[in-house]
Amino acid sequence: MERLVPDELWELFQRVVPPAPTRPQGGGRRRHGDREVLAAIIFVATSGCTWQQLPSASFGPSGATAHRRFAEWTQARVWARLHRLVLDELGARGELDWTRCAIDSVNMRALKGELTGPNPVDRGKYGSKIHLITDRNGLPLSVGISGANTHDSQALVPLVRGIPPIRSRRRPGRLYGDKGYDYAHLRRWLSRRGIRHRIARKGVDSSTRLGRHRWVVERTVSWLAGCRRLHRRYERKASHFLAFTSIACTLICYRRLTK
């Protein structure tokens, strides 16, 4: 438990977790500790095992208990608040570089559930897409999900608006994107908000130089693969899949926080 949930991460989590509900009539079974359940959830996220395969002898709570607490915390938006809190600590220490941010997406195969769709680049097989914006160092600032048939350009505005207000700042200095975001209305929208943009132009920019500044977001996508629960989407609820994505982003930012 100490390896999966170090003391510093546990202190941050205590600031965002809601208090445990009480039984008006009293009695009932003893509630498992939040730190034990958090360690079990992180184990499921990083190992990719199912809730039924969770080794309760090592963590204490069963898979059903961990899943029930995971759904309860997801509904309370604990994971998004934890990600924002870790970003806030990074901003206070000057670890975030807003001068050059990048945006991209990655497709994940999905069996069924909300926000899924036929993937146009994978023979129409159903899947979901993870959209994210990273800073110059590759730290994820904003993340979202959609169906695999959603065009990347439709996610730019929600992602930029979804960047949480933290201590250092909230607005990227310059935003880099590939040709999927090459639309005049997106350029105008960014310019009105004082965000300079470097979006590759179709038929003008060479594909050989597109990754000169965007390689950091590609590296972050590979970091997300370290959360094996994201290799393929098994969650039917979109909120649960987004929760695992937020957990992966929080762990990436937390590793930078402890360096």
Side-chain angles (χ1 to χ4, degrees):
M1 183 175 64
E2 288 76 10
R3 180 180 62 86
L4 293 172
V5 186
D7 293 337
E8 189 173 3
L9 179 61
W10 171 239
E11 292 176 2
L12 294 175
F13 185 77
Q14 286 181 302
R15 295 165 56 181
V16 298
V17 65
T22 58
R23 293 168 56 91
Q25 68 275 23
R29 299 181 60 181
R30 181 184 68 85
R31 180 181 172 93
H32 285 283
D34 289 341
R35 189 170 186 177
E36 300 172 355
V37 178
L38 178 61
I41 294 173
I42 293 179
F43 179 81
V44 171
T46 54
S47 67
C49 71
T50 63
W51 296 104
Q52 291 77 13
Q53 294 172 336
L54 179 69
S56 57
S58 302
F59 296 97
S62 63
T65 300
H67 179 264
R68 182 167 56 251
R69 198 79 62 86
F70 169 78
E72 174 186 326
W73 289 342
T74 300
Q75 187 176 5
R77 295 184 55 83
V78 169
W79 313 115
R81 293 163 58 191
L82 181 62
H83 182 207
R84 173 183 174 179
L85 186 59
V86 176
L87 286 175
D88 195 45
E89 292 294 329
L90 287 171
R93 300 183 186 184
E95 295 289 341
L96 294 179
D97 191 344
W98 295 85
T99 58
R100 192 166 64 205
C101 298
I103 183 173
D104 206 351
S105 67
V106 58
N107 289 298
M108 300 291 178
R109 188 75 63 85
L111 300 178
K112 61 181 68 175
E114 305 168 346
L115 292 183
T116 60
N119 191 342
V121 297
D122 190 14
R123 298 165 293 172
K125 294 185 178 295
Y126 266 67
S128 294
K129 186 179 290 187
I130 298 177
H131 308 266
L132 71 159
I133 292 180
T134 65
D135 75 335
R136 188 170 186 171
N137 299 318
L139 298 177
L141 301 174
S142 179
V143 64
I145 63 172
S146 68
N149 57 339
T150 301
H151 198 273
D152 288 351
S153 61
Q154 300 180 18
L156 186 144
V157 174
L159 279 181
V160 174
R161 287 178 172 172
I163 297 177
I166 57 179
R167 298 187 193 182
S168 56
R169 59 186 295 177
R170 184 181 180 180
R171 187 171 299 170
R174 184 186 293 267
L175 184 64
Y176 284 77
D178 59 19
K179 298 180 182 181
Y181 306 93
D182 183 24
Y183 290 92
H185 69 279
L186 294 180
R187 297 176 186 272
R188 290 193 299 266
W189 188 86
L190 292 172
S191 298
R192 286 197 300 267
R193 281 152 184 81
I195 302 175
R196 295 181 296 172
H197 48 79
R198 180 63 179 89
I199 300 176
R201 294 166 293 180
K202 301 174 183 177
V204 177
D205 293 322
S206 173
S207 299
T208 59
R209 297 175 58 87
L210 295 182
R212 183 179 180 183
H213 300 294
R214 292 194 311 107
W215 66 271
V216 291
V217 69
E218 301 289 349
R219 183 184 61 180
T220 305
V221 168
S222 67
W223 286 347
L224 289 177
C227 183
R228 298 185 179 180
R229 189 76 179 192
L230 299 180
H231 285 189
R232 176 174 291 192
R233 175 181 169 180
Y234 297 97
E235 287 72 33
R236 295 189 178 185
K237 292 185 177 180
S239 59
H240 288 185
F241 183 62
L242 180 60
F244 277 120
T245 307
S246 298
I247 291 174
C249 294
T250 301
L251 295 178
I252 292 173
C253 296
Y254 177 73
R255 286 196 293 267
R256 175 60 63 88
L257 188 65
T258 55
K259 283 188 176 180

